[in-house]
Amino acid sequence: MAKRGRNEEENDDLKNKSSKQQKTISNENENEEDSPAVARLEEEDEEDDFLRREDDGNSSSEDEDFEADDNGPRKKNRESQLKFGMVCSSNMNRSMEAHFQLEKVGLDVYSYGVGTQIRLPGPKGQEVFDFGTPYQAIKDTLVSGGRANWFRERGLLDMLNRNIGIKEGPERWQEAESSDLAKLDIVFCFEGRVFDLLIEDLEGREPEEFEPIHVLNLEVKDNAAEAAIGAQICLELCNELQKKSKSLEEELPKIVSVITKKYKREIMSKTCYI
């Protein structure tokens, strides 16, 4: 029998970790059985399905981070603690699993969605909520009318219980103030369409401080098991970036290259200014 490759063993390790992590986030009921993985979350309508944007710019290879003035870029006064943004469509599954993992190790992390509304699968069609609806209110709606078991069996209640413990409700990237987004150093997306929408939003904003934001994208399927694996890859990358925070522009492409080769998963990168 052929020996297993190193990448296969590392991915198996991540899958084993993700299986254990999913068991820790459920506090719905002391007598509940372990729920199966979250069913594939329904994403936005077909009219929002954009083609993946090809990376048309490279990260700067300068040793320092910069702000801009009338004479061009100047050194940016970055804090030693990087600020990370995790982004998916609805700020429910992939971005929140990554938020959960990064926050556990003490990284400064925020999370958002870029969709128009929150869309979850339901027994009779999609359950639709506006951004800003508290996670607790979403959960209360799902368990009403004797439907709790349907959502519990598909892991949605576990997901919401995790989210409730992190922040109040899902936040929409496009509704955030530019001054708040400018504080982010790294933004991590989990789908090409999400990456496209986020870049479109950043490029449509009038730059105020010309703060650099490094936007990365890793393709991750929208289910609980894949979200946990994606979050672990993201966590490893972010930990390495944090170690190199003082020379982020120079080190980011190198770290992305190492992680890409290790897991054989493409990571797109683009630097924007806000």
Side-chain angles (χ1 to χ4, degrees):
M1 180 180 296
K3 292 184 178 180
R4 290 161 55 85
R6 180 180 177 185
N7 288 311
E8 293 177 315
E9 293 175 348
E10 289 168 338
N11 283 325
D12 285 347
D13 289 339
L14 284 178
K15 290 179 181 178
N16 290 333
K17 287 182 181 179
S18 69
S19 177
K20 293 178 181 178
Q21 288 157 355
Q22 293 306 308
K23 295 179 181 178
T24 66
I25 61 175
S26 175
N27 55 11
E28 169 65 13
N29 189 302
E30 293 181 353
N31 298 318
E32 290 179 275
E33 296 292 332
D34 289 338
S35 302
V38 177
R40 172 99 165 86
L41 295 186
E42 302 262 345
E43 294 290 346
E44 299 295 314
D45 292 335
E46 289 186 359
E47 62 263 29
D48 289 331
D49 190 13
F50 291 86
L51 294 176
R52 177 182 298 182
R53 180 191 302 268
E54 291 295 333
D55 184 15
D56 57 2
N58 295 320
S59 297
S60 170
S61 60
E62 298 295 328
D63 291 342
E64 302 287 352
D65 293 327
F66 298 95
E67 291 175 347
D69 57 22
D70 293 339
N71 297 317
R74 59 186 174 84
K75 182 177 178 181
K76 177 182 178 182
N77 295 318
R78 169 174 283 124
E79 298 178 4
S80 59
Q81 178 79 354
L82 297 179
K83 296 183 184 298
F84 299 94
M86 304 291 113
V87 188
C88 65
S89 179
S90 296
N91 198 200
M92 292 291 291
N93 181 35
R94 294 165 291 183
S95 62
M96 288 301 287
E97 177 63 23
H99 189 147
F100 175 67
Q101 296 299 336
L102 268 65
E103 190 170 75
K104 279 202 308 183
V105 300
L107 294 178
D108 193 357
V109 59
Y110 306 83
S111 58
Y112 305 89
V114 296
T116 55
Q117 290 179 303
I118 311 300
R119 299 172 187 273
L120 301 175
K124 295 183 179 180
Q126 289 187 346
E127 300 284 338
V128 181
F129 303 90
D130 291 330
F131 275 92
T133 305
Y135 291 121
Q136 183 64 56
I138 294 174
K139 177 184 174 183
D140 292 343
T141 299
L142 297 187
V143 301
S144 65
R147 303 182 300 166
N149 285 338
W150 193 94
F151 292 105
R152 182 178 297 114
E153 289 169 359
R154 287 156 179 81
L156 293 173
L157 299 188
D158 287 348
M159 178 184 70
L160 284 164
N161 286 332
R162 176 201 61 202
N163 296 354
I164 289 167
I166 296 173
K167 63 179 187 177
E168 183 175 0
E171 301 173 70
R172 189 167 186 254
W173 172 274
Q174 293 91 329
E175 296 174 2
E177 295 290 337
S178 293
S179 57
D180 291 331
L181 298 180
K183 298 174 184 178
L184 300 173
D185 299 293
I186 303 291
V187 175
F188 210 101
C189 303
F190 295 93
E191 182 182 340
R193 183 169 61 108
V194 172
F195 180 81
D196 289 343
L197 288 169
L198 190 142
I199 294 297
E200 180 181 302
D201 175 76
L202 283 175
E203 292 181 342
R205 292 175 184 252
E206 187 68 28
E208 297 177 1
E209 302 295 332
F210 285 90
E211 298 282 7
I213 298 181
H214 304 289
V215 185
L216 307 177
N217 182 71
L218 173 69
E219 287 292 323
V220 176
K221 292 181 180 180
D222 196 3
N223 60 59
E226 285 296 315
I229 292 172
Q232 285 298 311
I233 296 173
C234 176
L235 174 60
E236 183 175 340
L237 190 152
C238 292
N239 272 329
E240 292 303 314
L241 293 175
Q242 179 58 60
K243 294 175 185 177
K244 304 294 184 180
S245 62
K246 293 300 185 180
S247 55
L248 185 62
E249 250 69 359
E250 179 183 36
E251 298 297 332
L252 187 148
K254 300 176 185 177
I255 294 171
V256 167
S257 178
V258 169
I259 297 296
T260 297
K261 291 177 181 177
K262 180 177 180 179
Y263 295 104
K264 296 189 181 302
R265 297 178 72 158
E266 179 187 8
I267 298 176
M268 294 192 296
S269 175
K270 183 176 178 67
T271 300
C272 297
Y273 292 85
I274 188 171

